[in-house]
Amino acid sequence: MAINIALDGPSAAGKSTIAKRLAKQLNYVHLDTGAMYRCVAYKALHTGVDLKDEAAVCKMIEETVIDMKSDGSIFLDGKAITNEIRTDEISMAASHVSAHKQVRALLVAQQQKIAENKGYIMDGRDIGTVVLPHAELKVFMTASAEARANRRHLENLSKGFESDLSQIIEEIRQRDWQDTHREHSPLKKAEDAVVLDTSDMSIDEVVKKIEELLPL
Ligand code: DC
């Protein structure tokens, strides 16, 4: 029988990459909850909604349709914005909108509804603690800020983007601080989550380790 897997951890820990690989191998569906906060931030920035105005952001969410396809493409109100939500500007804006309690409540409700049928690998910050507290497997993936920044740096270079390693380290530290110090659902390991420090692990090693943790 299918189960739900909660995969939490700080920014750029490689959660999405691992979740995609596992989903493919297990024939599960990957749900990237961070992308939902990114869509909200993207729409607010593009429609002039003040990120700090919680009520306005919530009203906007109620008039928004986020469609996450199983091939990883993401549609916001019918428009493909898969890559557009991955910029540094949107990362910071998503971190800001995700601090609002009511914004979280609206997105958490959507995430819980989606996962009702099981067979999901959901990655985020509060999956094991809030969204799926009864998930059959909870993994908390960490890596040092330097290791995470270095991966992002190499990824940028491989795509031909300009990249400044020390700036990436600084941004990752800043987002870690924001995500762990916000009042509502801060990034926190669930008590029953298994911690995986992936600083010195390859993608294959992490996937294999999580497969070993799956309940029979
Ligand atoms: O995982 P990500 O970098 O795409 O997430 C973008 C932002 O959204 C990040 O600052 C943390 C926030 N987030 C959250 O608060 N809760 C989640 N379940 C997922 C992401």
Side-chain angles (χ1 to χ4, degrees):
M1 209 189 65
I3 62 165
N4 279 329
I5 303 172
L7 190 56
D8 289 301
S11 317
K15 299 184 298 293
S16 276
T17 307
I18 299 298
K20 272 193 203 98
R21 282 276 299 271
L22 270 173
K24 202 165 175 201
Q25 246 150 273
L26 301 173
N27 204 16
Y28 273 34
V29 180
H30 168 220
L31 191 86
D32 173 0
T33 60
M36 297 173 79
Y37 291 93
R38 287 173 180 272
C39 283
V40 170
Y42 179 93
K43 184 164 174 180
L45 286 180
H46 283 80
T47 56
V49 170
D50 182 355
L51 299 176
K52 291 193 223 81
D53 186 340
E54 181 167 14
V57 176
C58 286
K59 185 167 177 291
M60 185 198 81
I61 291 175
E62 276 159 4
E63 295 157 359
T64 300
V65 179
I66 299 170
D67 188 7
M68 304 175 72
K69 308 274 187 208
S70 54
D71 67 357
S73 56
I74 300 168
F75 290 79
L76 176 64
D77 297 327
K79 181 176 169 250
I81 41 90
T82 315
N83 298 322
E84 286 83 343
I85 57 168
R86 299 290 161 195
T87 65
D88 292 340
E89 184 194 18
I90 301 293
S91 299
M92 273 302 162
S95 182
H96 287 299
V97 292
S98 69
H100 295 308
K101 187 176 180 186
Q102 293 307 325
V103 167
R104 303 198 67 83
L106 290 172
L107 295 188
V108 166
Q110 292 186 18
Q111 293 154 11
Q112 288 174 330
K113 182 107 193 75
I114 293 171
E116 256 172 11
N117 295 329
K118 306 259 179 166
Y120 282 84
I121 301 176
M122 219 179 249
D123 83 77
R125 305 292 190 288
D126 58 343
I127 311 304
T129 51
V130 178
V131 182
L132 302 176
H134 304 297
E136 288 83 351
L137 175 62
K138 299 180 185 179
V139 177
F140 192 84
M141 261 177 71
T142 61
S144 67
E146 289 76 10
R148 286 180 281 143
N150 202 37
R151 287 177 194 158
R152 182 71 31 109
H153 180 58
L154 294 176
E155 192 184 317
N156 286 345
L157 296 180
S158 75
K159 288 179 183 160
F161 296 165
E162 271 187 34
S163 191
D164 176 340
L165 182 58
S166 52
Q167 190 186 337
I168 301 176
I169 295 178
E170 199 38 55
E171 280 170 5
I172 283 185
R173 290 212 173 106
Q174 193 184 338
R175 278 214 285 154
D176 281 355
W177 199 91
Q178 281 173 206
D179 293 344
T180 50
H181 286 78
R182 68 177 177 226
E183 188 185 350
H184 309 294
S185 310
L187 169 66
K188 199 173 87 193
K189 179 187 103 56
E191 270 178 24
D192 50 350
V194 178
V195 179
L196 267 190
D197 185 334
T198 68
S199 304
D200 299 312
M201 289 172 85
S202 68
I203 293 172
D204 283 341
E205 285 168 335
V206 179
V207 170
K208 187 162 172 280
K209 182 77 200 160
I210 297 178
E211 280 182 328
E212 286 167 10
L213 293 170
L214 285 170
L216 291 175

